[in-house]
């Protein structure tokens, strides 16, 4: 294995596979001691950018060609002293950036000449179709971001236009993002190589390796960046990545990414995912504990989040239980009041029933007395009839 490990891998996004869309990311690397170059470009997914996968491929090619020429020119003309001066360095790197943007535009128009835009492609552009057919803003069709890094013995130069992420690991195992943010990159909106002010908007970082020498540089498209919920998990991912591949050969590294990136896309952004990097395996080993700490912090954060979710779930369950308990208690109280009212009604009915039973008893006795009087009257009546009959017989 070489002293340094260089890698680059891309995979079609989970959503793109489902929709039968092409991978709009492009990646490449180049190494020829003492230079190494990595590059990633993420073509825009908008319907108006219907050749963005071509645009991203051209961006990667242009970046590597120009960074290679830049490194060779610095060495050939001994321009290291120029890079040491901030003002001169700014002018030199801005000239490089202008060349990259200009070359990309030239390649785009050459592609249009070689492969004229078809009617069905114009139709895909919808609202911009008429503008494109007038020959205006044609570079938008190839819109793409760009993120690349040149690693030499004395310095590192990182360029970025648009979104994506760059993570470095310093000699103490600290993970950091060297590139300043672009205020115009918000959510799914990003700056692009097709912008009119692309050369001015492109950001760069120059690192003097004699003063601060990273042990790893990793760049990724936003498909990876957006697959992690926060910086802690993103840093843990890159930290674990360094630990996983530091002892692997190129074949195993490619196999590792071929399995890893589709899973990241599926579980995360669903977008195309691309990753490239440069690491010094021997120095990664020296900061192994520090990198493991990033991973452990993320795991602890996950456990904390899981515990918080469980607490939230249990609180909601308790709240639901308390609500149901309150309903049942209210119902019990209502029923108890109903029972109490029924008890009172029962007592009142019992009193009424007792009164009726006493009245009934009196009525029964009255009926018996009336029957007795009736029987006596009837007896007297019968006896008087019999007496009358006897008198009639005597008179005859």
């Amino acid at each position: 294995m070489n002293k340094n490990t260089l890698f680059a891998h891309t995979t079609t996004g989970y959503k793109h596979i489902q929709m039968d869309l092409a991978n709009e990311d492009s990646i490449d690397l180049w190494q020829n001691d003492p230079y190494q170059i990595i590059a990633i470009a993420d073509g825009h997914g908008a319907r108006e950018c219907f050749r963005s996968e071509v645009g991203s491929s051209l961006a990667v090619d242009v970046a590597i060609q120009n960074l290679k020429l830049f490194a060779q020119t610095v060495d050939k003309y001994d321009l290291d002293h120029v890079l040491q001066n901030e003002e001169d360095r700014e002018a030199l790197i801005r000239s490089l950036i202008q060349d990259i943007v200009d070359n990309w535009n030239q390649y785009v128009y050459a592609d249009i000449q070689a492969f004229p835009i078809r009617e069905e492609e114009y139709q895909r552009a919808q609202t911009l179709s008429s503008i494109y057919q007038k020959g205006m803003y044609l570079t938008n069709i190839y819109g793409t971001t760009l993120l690349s890094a040149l690693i030499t013995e004395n310095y590192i130069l990182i360029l970025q236009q648009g979104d994506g992420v760059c993570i470095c690991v310093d000699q103490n195992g600290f993970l950091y993002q060297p590139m300043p943010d672009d205020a115009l990159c918000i959510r799914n909106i990003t700056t692009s190589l097709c912008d009119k002010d692309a050369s001015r908007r492109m950001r760069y970082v120059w690192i003097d390796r004699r003063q601060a020498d990273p042990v790893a540089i990793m760049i990724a498209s936003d498909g990876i960046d957006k697959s992690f919920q926060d910086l802690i998990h993103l840093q843990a991912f890159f930290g674990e990545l360094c630990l996983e591949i530091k002892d692997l050969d190129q074949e195993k590294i490619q196999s590792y990414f071929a399995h890893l990136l589709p899973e990241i896309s599926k579980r995360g952004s669903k977008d195309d995912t691309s990753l490239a990097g440069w690491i010094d395996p021997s120095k990664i080993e020296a900061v192994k504990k520090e990198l493991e700490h990033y991973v452990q912090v993320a795991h602890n954060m996950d456990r904390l989040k899981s515990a918080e979710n469980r607490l939230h779930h249990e609180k909601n369950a308790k709240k639901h239980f308390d609500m149901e308990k309150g309903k049942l208690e209210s119902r019990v109280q209502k029923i108890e009041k109903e029972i109490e009212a029924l008890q009172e009604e029962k007592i009142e009915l019992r009193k009424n029933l007792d009164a009726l039973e006493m009245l009934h008893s009196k009525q029964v006795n009255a009926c018996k007395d009336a029957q007795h009087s009736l029987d006596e009257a009837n007896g007297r009546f019968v006896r008087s009839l019999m007496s009358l009959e006897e008198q009639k017989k005597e008179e005859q």
Side-chain angles (χ1 to χ4, degrees):
M1 177 184 287
N2 295 330
K3 177 183 178 182
N4 298 322
T5 298
L6 212 61
F7 59 87
H9 194 87
T10 185
T11 190
T12 305
Y14 182 72
K15 186 177 181 180
H16 283 199
I17 293 174
Q18 290 182 315
M19 299 175 66
D20 195 27
L21 298 175
N23 184 348
E24 293 160 339
D25 285 5
S26 295
I27 54 106
D28 203 357
L29 57 81
W30 181 84
Q31 57 181 336
N32 184 11
D33 288 339
Y35 316 128
Q36 293 88 40
I37 302 173
I38 52 177
I40 290 176
D42 180 358
H44 306 329
R47 294 176 62 89
E48 295 80 7
C49 306
F50 49 79
R51 289 189 182 180
S52 62
E53 68 272 19
V54 178
S56 66
S57 178
L58 295 176
V60 165
D61 290 345
V62 166
I64 289 181
Q65 290 174 18
N66 281 275
L67 285 171
K68 188 192 308 182
L69 180 60
F70 178 85
Q72 292 170 344
T73 301
V74 169
D75 282 353
K76 181 177 180 180
Y77 296 101
D78 193 21
L79 299 178
D80 186 64
H81 67 284
V82 175
L83 292 174
Q84 296 298 319
N85 180 278
E86 184 175 352
E87 185 176 342
D88 293 339
R89 180 171 66 243
E90 168 75 10
L92 191 61
I93 295 176
R94 281 296 163 192
S95 176
L96 163 67
I97 290 172
Q98 188 66 59
D99 288 342
I100 290 175
V101 174
D102 289 345
N103 288 167
W104 182 79
N105 278 272
Q106 291 167 6
Y107 281 19
V108 163
Y109 282 106
D111 188 77
I112 294 174
Q113 287 289 327
F115 305 98
I117 302 169
R118 305 183 304 275
E119 181 59 33
E120 57 269 25
E121 288 182 307
Y122 280 127
Q123 292 177 0
R124 287 181 59 186
Q126 297 181 331
T127 56
L128 292 182
S129 176
S130 60
I131 295 176
Y132 288 162
Q133 291 186 50
K134 294 177 182 178
M136 301 169 63
Y137 301 106
L138 294 182
T139 55
N140 287 14
I141 298 171
Y142 294 76
T144 181
T145 65
L146 175 64
L147 184 53
S148 57
L150 164 67
I151 301 98
T152 73
E153 289 182 332
N154 295 328
Y155 63 89
I156 295 169
L157 176 60
I158 306 169
L159 305 176
Q160 183 168 8
Q161 174 69 356
D163 55 22
V165 64
C166 175
I167 295 286
C168 290
V169 183
D170 70 12
Q171 293 189 346
N172 296 315
F174 177 70
L175 288 159
Y176 66 100
Q177 297 184 67
M179 189 66 66
D181 292 333
D182 186 338
L184 296 183
C185 292
I186 305 172
R187 296 186 180 89
N188 291 327
I189 300 174
T190 179
T191 50
S192 171
L193 276 179
C194 69
D195 294 340
K196 294 299 182 182
D197 59 350
S199 59
R200 182 177 64 83
R201 296 292 311 181
M202 189 177 295
R203 295 159 286 157
Y204 74 87
V205 173
W206 183 79
I207 301 172
D208 189 341
R209 297 187 68 181
R210 290 157 292 196
Q211 296 182 10
D213 191 15
V215 300
I217 300 172
M218 293 161 286
I219 58 176
S221 65
D222 71 329
I224 286 183
D225 187 15
K226 293 177 180 177
S227 292
F228 296 91
Q229 54 190 299
D230 49 47
L231 180 59
I232 291 176
H233 286 82
L234 183 65
Q235 289 176 326
F237 164 73
F238 281 109
E240 189 170 29
L241 178 65
C242 291
L243 295 173
E244 289 289 335
I245 70 172
K246 67 181 180 65
D247 296 323
L248 301 181
D249 58 28
Q250 284 297 327
E251 183 178 350
K252 290 182 179 179
I253 288 175
Q254 290 300 315
S255 176
Y256 173 75
F257 286 129
H259 173 74
L260 176 67
L261 296 188
E263 285 298 313
I264 291 176
S265 177
K266 182 177 180 180
R267 297 179 184 180
S269 65
K270 308 291 189 297
D271 195 5
D272 300 329
T273 53
S274 301
L275 182 69
W278 166 91
I279 70 170
D280 185 332
S282 62
K283 292 181 179 178
I284 290 294
E285 181 64 30
V287 295
K288 179 180 179 180
K289 290 184 179 180
E290 287 74 14
L291 295 179
E292 288 175 342
H293 178 69
Y294 279 96
V295 178
Q296 189 60 48
V297 168
H299 288 170
N300 289 339
M301 186 175 181
D302 290 338
R303 283 192 284 269
L304 176 61
K305 187 67 175 179
S306 177
E308 288 177 344
N309 289 339
R310 182 178 177 184
L311 177 60
H312 180 69
H313 173 76
E314 294 300 333
K315 283 183 175 180
N316 285 339
K318 182 180 180 299
K319 183 178 179 180
H320 177 73
F321 170 79
D322 290 341
M323 290 176 61
E324 292 300 315
K325 179 185 176 185
K327 291 178 182 179
L328 290 175
E329 287 177 343
S330 177
R331 186 178 177 188
V332 168
Q333 290 175 359
K334 181 180 179 181
I335 292 174
E336 286 177 344
K337 289 180 180 179
E338 291 175 352
I339 291 173
E340 185 178 347
L342 289 172
Q343 289 287 5
E344 292 176 355
E345 184 180 356
K346 177 183 177 183
I347 293 172
E348 188 64 27
L349 290 173
R350 173 56 65 187
K351 290 179 180 180
N352 294 337
L353 180 60
D354 290 345
L356 287 173
E357 286 179 346
M358 291 178 64
L359 181 61
H360 177 264
S361 178
K362 290 179 180 180
Q363 292 296 325
V364 169
N365 290 332
C367 287
K368 288 180 179 180
D369 291 343
Q371 184 67 44
H372 181 69
S373 298
L374 177 62
D375 290 344
E376 287 182 348
N378 187 55
R380 285 193 296 271
F381 175 70
V382 171
R383 286 193 296 273
S384 64
L385 285 177
M386 290 175 64
S387 175
L388 181 61
E389 288 294 327
E390 287 177 355
Q391 287 179 2
K392 286 180 179 182
K393 287 179 180 180
E394 290 177 355
E395 289 177 357
Q396 294 176 353

